[in-house]
Amino acid sequence: GYSPIWFGILFAVNMQVSFLSPPFGPAAFYLKGVAPPEISLKDIFVSLLPFIALQLCVLFALLFWPNLAMWLV
């Protein structure tokens, strides 16, 4: 048994990671659309790596300690 609230939060965090990570990462392409021409898509993906790492840490913390997701609920 698992809580549907925990699963929903886990799913939402997982989707947020997918919005930033290569190869598709639509958020990176949105940033490329508004960035100056001298900034390449590779620069954007490299600069997103710390944010992806933080989100993966949160994802694994929620996976191993489900009570974190239920703390404020």
Side-chain angles (χ1 to χ4, degrees), residues 8-65:
I9 292 172
L10 197 67
F11 181 78
V13 172
N14 190 23
M15 290 304 296
Q16 181 60 39
V17 173
S18 74
F19 289 143
L20 294 178
S21 61
F24 298 110
F29 292 105
Y30 301 150
L31 288 171
K32 177 62 179 154
V34 297
E38 61 269 7
I39 297 177
S40 69
L41 193 57
K42 181 182 176 190
D43 294 334
I44 292 173
F45 276 128
V46 168
S47 64
L48 287 175
L49 288 177
F51 296 102
I52 294 171
L54 285 171
Q55 289 179 349
L56 286 174
C57 289
V58 168
L59 182 67
F60 287 122
L62 288 171
L63 185 63
F64 292 117
W65 296 288

